[in-house]
mmCIF file of all heavy atoms in Angstrom:
data_model
loop_
_atom_site.group_PDB
_atom_site.id
_atom_site.type_symbol
_atom_site.label_atom_id
_atom_site.label_comp_id
_atom_site.label_asym_id
_atom_site.label_seq_id
_atom_site.Cartn_x
_atom_site.Cartn_y
_atom_site.Cartn_z
ATOM 1 N N VAL K 407 23.350 -2.090 -18.796
ATOM 2 C CA VAL K 407 24.311 -1.304 -19.582
ATOM 3 C C VAL K 407 23.704 -0.013 -20.125
ATOM 4 O O VAL K 407 24.163 1.087 -19.811
ATOM 5 C CB VAL K 407 24.873 -2.144 -20.759
ATOM 6 C CG1 VAL K 407 25.836 -1.308 -21.598
ATOM 7 C CG2 VAL K 407 25.559 -3.398 -20.246
ATOM 8 N N ASP K 408 22.676 -0.141 -20.936
ATOM 9 C CA ASP K 408 22.192 1.011 -21.705
ATOM 10 C C ASP K 408 21.352 1.985 -20.882
ATOM 11 O O ASP K 408 21.447 3.198 -21.072
ATOM 12 C CB ASP K 408 21.391 0.506 -22.914
ATOM 13 C CG ASP K 408 22.182 -0.504 -23.724
ATOM 14 O OD1 ASP K 408 23.242 -0.134 -24.235
ATOM 15 O OD2 ASP K 408 21.752 -1.675 -23.820
ATOM 16 N N THR K 409 20.522 1.447 -19.972
ATOM 17 C CA THR K 409 19.733 2.347 -19.127
ATOM 18 C C THR K 409 20.613 3.228 -18.248
ATOM 19 O O THR K 409 20.354 4.432 -18.119
ATOM 20 C CB THR K 409 18.737 1.543 -18.270
ATOM 21 O OG1 THR K 409 17.797 0.898 -19.133
ATOM 22 C CG2 THR K 409 17.987 2.457 -17.315
ATOM 23 N N PRO K 410 21.670 2.697 -17.603
ATOM 24 C CA PRO K 410 22.565 3.589 -16.857
ATOM 25 C C PRO K 410 23.179 4.682 -17.729
ATOM 26 O O PRO K 410 23.396 5.804 -17.252
ATOM 27 C CB PRO K 410 23.641 2.635 -16.332
ATOM 28 C CG PRO K 410 22.946 1.322 -16.199
ATOM 29 C CD PRO K 410 22.008 1.271 -17.368
ATOM 30 N N VAL K 411 23.476 4.372 -18.996
ATOM 31 C CA VAL K 411 24.011 5.392 -19.901
ATOM 32 C C VAL K 411 22.975 6.483 -20.136
ATOM 33 O O VAL K 411 23.293 7.681 -20.095
ATOM 34 C CB VAL K 411 24.443 4.757 -21.244
ATOM 35 C CG1 VAL K 411 24.818 5.848 -22.252
ATOM 36 C CG2 VAL K 411 25.621 3.815 -21.041
ATOM 37 N N VAL K 412 21.728 6.080 -20.398
ATOM 38 C CA VAL K 412 20.653 7.059 -20.603
ATOM 39 C C VAL K 412 20.513 7.967 -19.389
ATOM 40 O O VAL K 412 20.411 9.196 -19.505
ATOM 41 C CB VAL K 412 19.310 6.357 -20.909
ATOM 42 C CG1 VAL K 412 18.171 7.376 -20.933
ATOM 43 C CG2 VAL K 412 19.372 5.622 -22.226
ATOM 44 N N ILE K 413 20.497 7.365 -18.196
ATOM 45 C CA ILE K 413 20.332 8.148 -16.971
ATOM 46 C C ILE K 413 21.519 9.101 -16.777
ATOM 47 O O ILE K 413 21.337 10.280 -16.434
ATOM 48 C CB ILE K 413 20.183 7.209 -15.757
ATOM 49 C CG1 ILE K 413 18.855 6.453 -15.847
ATOM 50 C CG2 ILE K 413 20.273 8.005 -14.450
ATOM 51 C CD1 ILE K 413 18.679 5.403 -14.764
ATOM 52 N N ALA K 414 22.733 8.601 -16.995
ATOM 53 C CA ALA K 414 23.928 9.424 -16.783
ATOM 54 C C ALA K 414 23.948 10.645 -17.704
ATOM 55 O O ALA K 414 24.207 11.768 -17.249
ATOM 56 C CB ALA K 414 25.185 8.577 -17.002
ATOM 57 N N ILE K 415 23.677 10.444 -18.990
ATOM 58 C CA ILE K 415 23.743 11.582 -19.913
ATOM 59 C C ILE K 415 22.554 12.514 -19.735
ATOM 60 O O ILE K 415 22.655 13.728 -19.984
ATOM 61 C CB ILE K 415 23.861 11.120 -21.379
ATOM 62 C CG1 ILE K 415 22.651 10.292 -21.807
ATOM 63 C CG2 ILE K 415 25.160 10.347 -21.582
ATOM 64 C CD1 ILE K 415 22.695 9.864 -23.262
ATOM 65 N N THR K 416 21.413 11.978 -19.275
ATOM 66 C CA THR K 416 20.265 12.840 -18.984
ATOM 67 C C THR K 416 20.577 13.743 -17.792
ATOM 68 O O THR K 416 20.273 14.947 -17.813
ATOM 69 C CB THR K 416 19.015 11.995 -18.689
ATOM 70 O OG1 THR K 416 18.694 11.186 -19.833
ATOM 71 C CG2 THR K 416 17.823 12.893 -18.379
ATOM 72 N N LEU K 417 21.187 13.177 -16.758
ATOM 73 C CA LEU K 417 21.590 13.984 -15.599
ATOM 74 C C LEU K 417 22.672 14.992 -15.981
ATOM 75 O O LEU K 417 22.733 16.100 -15.428
ATOM 76 C CB LEU K 417 22.091 13.069 -14.478
ATOM 77 C CG LEU K 417 21.028 12.170 -13.827
ATOM 78 C CD1 LEU K 417 21.670 11.242 -12.797
ATOM 79 C CD2 LEU K 417 19.932 13.015 -13.173
ATOM 80 N N LEU K 418 23.512 14.627 -16.943
ATOM 81 C CA LEU K 418 24.528 15.562 -17.438
ATOM 82 C C LEU K 418 23.874 16.772 -18.079
ATOM 83 O O LEU K 418 24.279 17.920 -17.818
ATOM 84 C CB LEU K 418 25.431 14.856 -18.456
ATOM 85 C CG LEU K 418 26.433 15.747 -19.204
ATOM 86 C CD1 LEU K 418 27.421 16.374 -18.219
ATOM 87 C CD2 LEU K 418 27.158 14.950 -20.275
ATOM 88 N N VAL K 419 22.864 16.532 -18.911
ATOM 89 C CA VAL K 419 22.142 17.637 -19.547
ATOM 90 C C VAL K 419 21.477 18.506 -18.476
ATOM 91 O O VAL K 419 21.522 19.743 -18.542
ATOM 92 C CB VAL K 419 21.092 17.108 -20.540
ATOM 93 C CG1 VAL K 419 20.191 18.244 -21.023
ATOM 94 C CG2 VAL K 419 21.773 16.449 -21.724
ATOM 95 N N LEU K 420 20.873 17.872 -17.481
ATOM 96 C CA LEU K 420 20.237 18.614 -16.393
ATOM 97 C C LEU K 420 21.257 19.486 -15.665
ATOM 98 O O LEU K 420 20.983 20.653 -15.347
ATOM 99 C CB LEU K 420 19.580 17.633 -15.421
ATOM 100 C CG LEU K 420 18.814 18.239 -14.240
ATOM 101 C CD1 LEU K 420 17.611 19.022 -14.734
ATOM 102 C CD2 LEU K 420 18.370 17.129 -13.271
ATOM 103 N N ALA K 421 22.449 18.947 -15.420
ATOM 104 C CA ALA K 421 23.500 19.707 -14.747
ATOM 105 C C ALA K 421 23.971 20.889 -15.600
ATOM 106 O O ALA K 421 24.217 21.986 -15.085
ATOM 107 C CB ALA K 421 24.679 18.788 -14.417
ATOM 108 N N LEU K 422 24.095 20.665 -16.905
ATOM 109 C CA LEU K 422 24.511 21.754 -17.797
ATOM 110 C C LEU K 422 23.487 22.882 -17.802
ATOM 111 O O LEU K 422 23.844 24.059 -17.816
ATOM 112 C CB LEU K 422 24.706 21.213 -19.222
ATOM 113 C CG LEU K 422 25.929 20.327 -19.456
ATOM 114 C CD1 LEU K 422 25.916 19.757 -20.864
ATOM 115 C CD2 LEU K 422 27.218 21.106 -19.213
ATOM 116 N N VAL K 423 22.204 22.518 -17.789
ATOM 117 C CA VAL K 423 21.149 23.530 -17.776
ATOM 118 C C VAL K 423 21.196 24.336 -16.490
ATOM 119 O O VAL K 423 21.067 25.560 -16.487
ATOM 120 C CB VAL K 423 19.763 22.867 -17.948
ATOM 121 C CG1 VAL K 423 18.646 23.874 -17.698
ATOM 122 C CG2 VAL K 423 19.624 22.274 -19.347
ATOM 123 N N PHE K 424 21.403 23.654 -15.353
ATOM 124 C CA PHE K 424 21.374 24.321 -14.053
ATOM 125 C C PHE K 424 22.631 25.140 -13.769
ATOM 126 O O PHE K 424 22.550 26.260 -13.264
ATOM 127 C CB PHE K 424 21.185 23.281 -12.945
ATOM 128 C CG PHE K 424 19.763 23.115 -12.509
ATOM 129 C CD1 PHE K 424 19.034 22.020 -12.946
ATOM 130 C CD2 PHE K 424 19.153 24.043 -11.694
ATOM 131 C CE1 PHE K 424 17.717 21.857 -12.550
ATOM 132 C CE2 PHE K 424 17.842 23.896 -11.297
ATOM 133 C CZ PHE K 424 17.114 22.797 -11.720
ATOM 134 N N PHE K 425 23.808 24.575 -14.094
ATOM 135 C CA PHE K 425 25.044 25.175 -13.616
ATOM 136 C C PHE K 425 25.889 25.866 -14.689
ATOM 137 O O PHE K 425 26.745 26.678 -14.354
ATOM 138 C CB PHE K 425 25.904 24.106 -12.933
ATOM 139 C CG PHE K 425 25.222 23.430 -11.783
ATOM 140 C CD1 PHE K 425 24.868 22.092 -11.856
ATOM 141 C CD2 PHE K 425 24.917 24.135 -10.625
ATOM 142 C CE1 PHE K 425 24.233 21.461 -10.799
ATOM 143 C CE2 PHE K 425 24.292 23.521 -9.560
ATOM 144 C CZ PHE K 425 23.936 22.179 -9.647
ATOM 145 N N VAL K 426 25.669 25.546 -15.944
ATOM 146 C CA VAL K 426 26.511 26.122 -17.000
ATOM 147 C C VAL K 426 25.727 27.062 -17.905
ATOM 148 O O VAL K 426 26.144 28.187 -18.168
ATOM 149 C CB VAL K 426 27.178 25.006 -17.845
ATOM 150 C CG1 VAL K 426 28.081 25.618 -18.913
ATOM 151 C CG2 VAL K 426 27.962 24.060 -16.941
ATOM 152 N N GLY K 427 24.610 26.608 -18.402
ATOM 153 C CA GLY K 427 23.758 27.460 -19.231
ATOM 154 C C GLY K 427 24.114 27.488 -20.701
ATOM 155 O O GLY K 427 23.469 28.186 -21.483
ATOM 156 N N ARG K 428 25.117 26.749 -21.109
ATOM 157 C CA ARG K 428 25.485 26.706 -22.515
ATOM 158 C C ARG K 428 26.374 25.496 -22.778
ATOM 159 O O ARG K 428 26.916 24.892 -21.855
ATOM 160 C CB ARG K 428 26.211 27.984 -22.951
ATOM 161 C CG ARG K 428 27.579 28.162 -22.311
ATOM 162 C CD ARG K 428 28.130 29.568 -22.526
ATOM 163 N NE ARG K 428 28.293 29.868 -23.928
ATOM 164 C CZ ARG K 428 29.403 29.625 -24.622
ATOM 165 N NH1 ARG K 428 30.427 29.031 -24.039
ATOM 166 N NH2 ARG K 428 29.495 29.962 -25.887
ATOM 167 N N MET K 429 26.511 25.173 -24.067
ATOM 168 C CA MET K 429 27.409 24.099 -24.467
ATOM 169 C C MET K 429 28.271 24.604 -25.609
ATOM 170 O O MET K 429 27.763 25.083 -26.621
ATOM 171 C CB MET K 429 26.624 22.855 -24.919
ATOM 172 C CG MET K 429 27.534 21.702 -25.362
ATOM 173 S SD MET K 429 26.598 20.305 -26.024
ATOM 174 C CE MET K 429 25.845 19.718 -24.533
#
Side-chain angles (χ1 to χ4, degrees):
V407 178
D408 307 299
T409 296
V411 172
V412 172
I413 292 174
I415 61 178
T416 300
L417 292 176
L418 172 63
V419 171
L420 182 65
L422 288 174
V423 170
F424 264 103
F425 302 113
V426 182
R428 67 192 299 270
M429 179 185 290

